[in-house]
Amino acid sequence: MKKIANHETIEIYAPDESRFSFLKSPYAAHKTNSAVDIYYGSFGGGALSPVDGKIIDIRSYDTPTPFKNKDSKEYLIAIEQGDHVIKIIHIEPDVSIGEKISRGDRIGTFIKNGYFIFWNDPVMHVEVRKPHDYLRASNNLKLTPAIDWCRVPTSSPKIMDLKCRVGDINERYAQLCAPYRTCGEVKGFSIDGGFIDGYVFSYPDEFFGVIKPEGFTRPKVTELEITSDGSKIKCGGIAFCLAFNEPRIKVIPQRYGEKLFSKGDEVRIRLGIQ
């Protein structure tokens, strides 16, 4: 487990093989820079605690879902540590109230419910909350990413032009390999003196930003062009995360099962921000 963020004395950790994102979600706490999503494993696979503490609450509730016979159950796990509570969702718990846990201990399994769309991967949503305010969606206890910024140039341009290669591909999305930067143990794709984080739609939206040494910024996307073999690619958007291993760029089709590339294809991504 490696540290990915903190709020005051509360430290949040993730497995070495994980990816993580602070901005790639419409969930309310992400808009106030108060949440992090941790991606690893598989649906139905084991989920590990990102913190030390004591289980003080477990709740379940139904989510909206347009699909018949699809599980709509969501779970909330509340872990007390000192003067704060760590809120975790998207995990079906196999721990009990009153149980003490350490980071890296199994707390449940990854689930998929009505909050997920076709291209979402297994994810653990984590927030730090006040003891009597961990149920509502909104939050303003901001997280600080655990990033060593010494290797990201402060003068990097506001246009990113990447030559990529298609790595993994499936019916939900394609993953592209491209040159990336490393800051300490964290790897990502850089623009404007920071790391890109979030989901860039083919139309304007808010699930995107740049993480910089001075904090989070949410610039306007002025240009997004994806080309392969000289042709423009129409897609639903592209997604960026931070990682400890090689980061990838996810290209999402407009419809499930739509094939945009073949494995090994060369792809060019041009992204401009203001």
Side-chain angles (χ1 to χ4, degrees):
M1 304 281 282
K2 295 178 180 177
K3 181 179 173 181
I4 59 171
N6 70 280
H7 173 78
E8 296 181 355
T9 61
I10 305 298
E11 297 182 339
I12 300 171
Y13 289 78
D16 293 2
E17 70 276 14
S18 63
R19 298 172 289 115
F20 52 100
S21 172
F22 295 87
L23 305 175
K24 193 177 66 176
S25 172
Y27 196 77
H30 287 283
K31 295 183 179 182
T32 56
N33 310 325
S34 305
V36 62
D37 287 339
I38 306 172
Y39 299 85
Y40 62 94
S42 59
F43 290 111
L48 308 179
S49 177
V51 294
D52 302 327
K54 178 182 178 181
I55 308 293
I56 61 166
D57 198 2
I58 293 174
R59 304 201 181 201
S60 65
Y61 53 96
D62 290 328
T63 65
T65 176
F67 305 107
K68 292 182 178 180
N69 302 319
K70 181 177 179 180
D71 188 5
S72 63
K73 193 67 69 178
E74 180 61 276
Y75 299 89
L76 180 151
I77 303 172
I79 303 173
E80 182 182 61
Q81 184 187 130
D83 296 330
H84 292 86
V85 170
I86 294 87
K87 171 183 176 179
I88 297 173
I89 60 174
H90 305 328
I91 305 299
E92 181 176 0
D94 53 21
V95 289
S96 302
I97 294 175
E99 188 174 342
K100 292 183 178 180
I101 57 170
S102 300
R103 66 175 183 261
D105 289 348
R106 178 178 170 130
I107 57 172
T109 58
F110 286 103
I111 59 172
K112 188 175 186 179
N113 56 37
Y115 288 145
F116 289 70
I117 54 179
F118 72 85
W119 56 268
N120 289 139
D121 290 319
V123 62
M124 171 188 296
H125 172 97
V126 183
E127 301 176 43
V128 179
R129 305 295 295 251
K130 295 179 180 178
H132 304 294
D133 181 30
Y134 58 83
L135 295 179
R136 65 192 179 102
S138 58
N139 182 19
N140 62 2
L141 301 186
K142 294 178 171 54
L143 298 181
T144 300
I147 300 174
D148 177 0
W149 289 108
C150 61
R151 294 189 181 181
V152 170
T154 56
S155 60
S156 58
K158 292 188 176 184
I159 294 179
M160 181 189 72
D161 200 343
L162 284 178
K163 294 181 179 179
C164 313
R165 177 180 53 80
V166 179
D168 298 328
I169 191 168
N170 55 49
E171 293 181 324
R172 300 183 295 127
Y173 55 76
Q175 285 190 326
L176 309 187
C177 306
Y180 58 86
R181 290 191 177 274
T182 302
C183 289
E185 294 184 303
V186 176
K187 300 175 175 64
F189 300 97
S190 64
I191 193 171
D192 192 26
F195 279 135
I196 304 171
D197 183 29
Y199 179 34
V200 185
F201 285 77
S202 52
Y203 52 88
D205 215 285
E206 299 178 350
F207 314 151
F208 163 81
V210 180
I211 305 173
K212 296 184 177 185
E214 60 268 27
F216 297 89
T217 65
R218 296 176 184 270
K220 179 182 178 181
V221 175
T222 58
E223 180 181 6
L224 174 60
E225 184 176 87
I226 304 170
T227 58
S228 180
D229 196 25
S231 300
K232 292 185 179 180
I233 303 297
K234 293 183 179 180
C235 66
I238 57 176
F240 299 86
C241 278
L242 307 180
F244 294 121
N245 296 323
E246 180 187 359
R248 300 288 183 91
I249 301 170
K250 183 185 291 185
V251 182
I252 299 137
Q254 294 177 320
R255 296 173 297 277
Y256 175 84
E258 181 182 16
K259 187 177 181 181
L260 300 175
F261 313 106
S262 297
K263 190 170 183 178
D265 282 355
E266 292 185 357
V267 179
R268 189 160 195 153
I269 295 178
R270 184 177 173 86
L271 172 68
I273 61 173
Q274 187 176 65

